[in-house]
C-alpha cells in the first residue's frame, strides 16, 4: 500500500498507509459522501461494496485517476443486488480513465454530473446492473473512444442501462438497453430535482472540497 492524499478545507491532508482506495464503504447504509476532492490514489478513489446501500455521492471532484468509482464488490457477491446508489452533481476529470462509475448487480441513478473526457469508458458494469443516466453532460475526448458505456461479460438479458436527457458533446455516444426500466423508486424524503443537462457546468462549478475556514463561510 502507499500513502493517500485528500484535500480538506483547501489543504492537503496525508491519510497514511491504506489499501489504496481513498474512500471505501463496506456493509454500510445511509451514507452521504459530499464535497470531496479525490485524485491520484493507488487503487480507486471510491468503492461501495459488500452489501452497502442507500448511498449518496454528490458534489465531489474526481480527477487524475485510472479507476475512479466502483459500486459492487465483485461479480460473485450477489448480496449487492440490493445496492442503491445516487451519483449526482459530481465533476469527473480531467484525466480519468474508467469507472465513473462501474456498477455490479445493483442500481445506480447517475444524474447531473459533468464528464470531462475518459480513456476507456465513463459508465459501465457487469452482472446485470440497473443504471439510469439522467441529464448528465458528457464531453468525449478529442481522440480515442467516444462511447460512454461499457459492458463486461455475456448479456443474456438486456441490462436496464439507458440515458434520459443527457447532453453529448464532441462526438460522445451512449449505447442503450432496457430503456425506461431502471427507476430510482425514491420516497418523498429521498426525491430530488434533476435539472436540465445544460445547467450541469454551473451546478458542478463548486464541486470538490469547500474552501471553509473559521473566518470564512463556505
Amino acid at each position: 500500500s502507499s500513502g493517500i492524499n485528500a484535500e480538506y478545507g483547501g489543504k492537503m491532508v496525508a491519510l497514511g498507509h491504506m489499501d489504496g482506495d481513498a474512500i471505501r464503504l463496506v456493509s454500510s447504509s445511509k451514507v452521504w459522501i459530499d464535497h470531496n476532492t479525490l485524485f491520484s490514489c493507488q487503487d480507486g478513489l471510491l468503492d461501495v461494496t459488500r452489501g452497502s446501500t442507500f448511498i449518496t455521492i454528490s458534489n465531489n471532484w474526481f480527477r487524475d485517476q485510472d479507476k475512479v468509482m466502483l459500486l459492487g464488490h465483485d461479480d460473485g457477491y450477489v448480496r449487492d443486488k440490493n445496492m442503491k446508489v445516487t451519483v449526482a452533481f459530481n465533476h469527473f476529470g480531467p484525466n480519468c480513465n474508467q469507472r465513473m462509475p462501474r456498477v455490479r448487480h445493483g442500481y445506480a441513478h447517475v444524474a447531473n454530473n459533468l464528464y470531462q473526457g475518459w480513456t476507456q469508458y465513463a459508465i459501465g458494469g457487469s452482472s446485470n446492473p440497473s443504471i439510469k443516466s439522467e441529464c448528465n453532460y458528457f464531453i468525449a475526448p478529442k481522440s480515442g473512444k467516444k462511447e460512454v458505456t461499457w459492458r463486461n461479460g455475456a448479456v443474456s438479458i438486456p441490462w436496464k442501462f439507458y440515458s434520459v436527457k443527457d447532453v453529448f458533446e464532441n462526438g460522445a455516444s451512449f449505447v442503450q438497453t432496457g430503456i425506461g426500466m431502471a427507476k430510482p423508486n425514491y420516497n418523498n424524503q429521498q426525491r430530488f430535482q434533476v435539472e436540465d443537462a445544460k445547467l450541469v457546468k454551473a451546478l458542478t462549478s463548486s464541486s470538490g472540497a469547500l474552501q471553509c475556514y473559521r473566518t470564512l463561510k463556505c
Side-chain angles (χ1 to χ4, degrees):
S1 62
S2 63
I4 305 299
N5 296 320
E7 187 173 336
Y8 176 76
K11 297 181 180 180
M12 294 302 300
V13 178
L15 301 181
H17 292 282
M18 302 175 71
D19 61 6
D21 296 323
I23 299 174
R24 176 195 270 187
L25 301 183
V26 178
S27 302
S28 303
S29 180
K30 299 181 180 179
V31 178
W32 182 22
I33 299 172
D34 187 69
H35 277 295
N36 300 281
T37 299
L38 303 173
F39 59 94
S40 302
C41 287
Q42 183 184 34
D43 190 5
L45 296 182
L46 174 57
D47 284 10
V48 178
T49 64
R50 293 187 177 274
S52 296
T53 190
F54 296 117
I55 310 300
T56 299
I57 301 165
S58 61
N59 301 298
N60 301 287
W61 183 15
F62 303 96
R63 60 180 175 84
D64 302 306
Q65 184 69 24
D66 175 14
K67 301 173 182 177
V68 178
M69 185 187 305
L70 175 64
L71 308 180
H73 181 62
D74 61 35
D75 289 345
Y77 199 82
V78 295
R79 185 181 166 196
D80 282 326
K81 287 183 178 180
N82 297 320
M83 176 182 64
K84 292 184 179 180
V85 180
T86 299
V87 181
F89 313 118
N90 300 286
H91 181 175
F92 295 97
N95 304 318
C96 288
N97 179 21
Q98 60 177 316
R99 298 189 178 187
M100 296 175 267
R102 172 179 176 164
V103 188
R104 292 182 170 120
H105 294 294
Y107 170 81
H109 184 199
V110 183
N112 280 157
N113 300 285
L114 175 62
Y115 290 84
Q116 194 178 349
W118 52 86
T119 305
Q120 289 184 256
Y121 66 91
I123 304 174
S126 57
S127 299
N128 196 28
S130 296
I131 305 170
K132 180 179 181 180
S133 175
E134 184 175 11
C135 297
N136 298 290
Y137 199 114
F138 295 102
I139 305 173
K142 292 182 179 179
S143 61
K145 296 182 179 179
K146 304 285 189 177
E147 173 59 31
V148 169
T149 69
W150 172 80
R151 294 160 173 79
N152 185 46
V155 182
S156 57
I157 301 174
W159 295 1
K160 304 175 184 68
F161 189 177
Y162 65 98
S163 168
V164 178
K165 298 181 180 180
D166 289 321
V167 166
F168 303 98
E169 189 174 295
N170 205 28
S173 59
F174 194 115
V175 174
Q176 302 188 76
T177 51
I179 297 173
M181 299 177 67
K183 298 181 180 180
N185 295 322
Y186 293 122
N187 61 35
N188 289 333
Q189 292 180 321
Q190 298 167 332
R191 190 170 292 110
F192 68 98
Q193 178 68 38
V194 178
E195 301 293 346
D196 191 301
K198 295 178 181 178
L199 301 176
V200 163
K201 288 185 177 180
L203 290 170
T204 60
S205 61
S206 62
S207 295
L210 294 171
Q211 305 299 309
C212 301
Y213 305 93
R214 291 181 180 178
T215 57
L216 178 64
K217 293 183 179 180
C218 297

